[in-house]
Amino acid sequence: RDFIDYMYDGVVISYDDPYIRNLLGRENSVNKYSMAIKFTPLKKLTQFLGYSFTVGQDGTITPMIHFNPVMFFGTIHDKASGHSFARFNELGLRYNDMIEVEYTNDVMAYVTKPNNSYNDQNMNINSLCEFPTHCPSCGSELVISESGKNVRCPNLDCPERNVARVNSMFK
């Protein structure tokens, strides 16, 4: 994939013979005579540098994962969404951990933490990063959802939350 000048994440193969196409037909909106093949995502190892946290329009706190820059198709990536409180806990990152940045569907970087000897040694050096207990924007105490998957700022007047609401109106 590195030798082609444009991004692609797979190919679709279809029968060209009208008889076979007609024989296989369609089901709902799916051509039964075609098959999509997705390629393995591109992956690069880099070093985890830390988190920042954003506040969404509904108050949801999203961790942003910062890392040493990696390049995919000429685009430099140095951060990726940590998605949620649950994903933050699942990753269990420590400063300087080696992470794998995967270019998923050729549109966004997705972070995983590989099991390797470097991270095993780093466990003895650095402690786990902690999720904030107070809103990074207004300082209100954060609330964990009943499911434990998300954390929210309950303050309806939170400045970053208000900016996110206004920003959403113009999209």
Side-chain angles (χ1 to χ4, degrees):
R1 294 174 58 188
D2 291 333
F3 61 88
I4 294 181
D5 293 334
Y6 51 89
M7 296 184 290
Y8 60 102
D9 64 350
V11 295
V12 175
I13 300 172
S14 296
Y15 283 100
D16 194 32
D17 184 312
Y19 174 76
I20 294 174
R21 289 174 87 121
N22 189 40
L23 185 68
L24 295 174
R26 294 172 53 89
E27 186 175 309
N28 297 322
S29 63
V30 177
N31 295 328
K32 299 307 255 178
Y33 52 83
S34 296
M35 179 174 61
I37 300 172
K38 291 286 190 179
F39 298 138
T40 303
L42 299 173
K43 296 179 182 182
K44 298 200 177 173
L45 280 176
T46 189
Q47 194 167 28
F48 170 67
L49 301 176
Y51 282 103
S52 62
F53 298 88
T54 62
V55 184
Q57 65 181 355
D58 66 347
T60 300
I61 308 297
T62 302
M64 293 300 295
I65 302 167
H66 297 267
F67 45 84
N68 283 329
V70 293
M71 185 183 298
F72 295 105
F73 296 112
T75 303
I76 297 171
H77 298 267
D78 61 358
K79 65 183 173 189
S81 174
H83 305 288
S84 66
F85 179 64
R87 179 85 174 118
F88 174 93
N89 289 329
E90 178 186 317
L91 283 170
L93 292 175
R94 301 166 190 275
Y95 291 105
N96 298 320
D97 269 347
M98 291 303 294
I99 58 173
E100 194 168 65
V101 179
E102 182 178 289
Y103 205 44
T104 305
N105 296 326
D106 291 350
V107 293
M108 67 183 293
Y110 182 77
V111 173
T112 56
K113 181 179 172 182
N115 290 325
N116 58 32
S117 59
Y118 182 90
N119 287 343
D120 290 343
Q121 291 173 355
N122 191 43
M123 190 180 338
N124 300 322
I125 300 168
N126 290 301
S127 58
L128 284 172
C129 292
E130 293 185 19
F131 205 88
T133 57
H134 290 78
C135 177
S137 179
C138 71
S140 296
E141 190 170 343
L142 298 176
V143 178
I144 299 174
S145 67
E146 286 185 30
S147 68
K149 293 181 181 179
N150 297 300
V151 172
R152 291 184 58 248
C153 172
N155 181 4
L156 295 176
D157 291 324
C158 174
E160 193 171 343
R161 191 172 173 176
N162 287 334
V163 168
R165 280 195 295 256
V166 170
N167 187 36
S168 178
M169 288 180 358
F170 292 106
K171 285 186 177 182

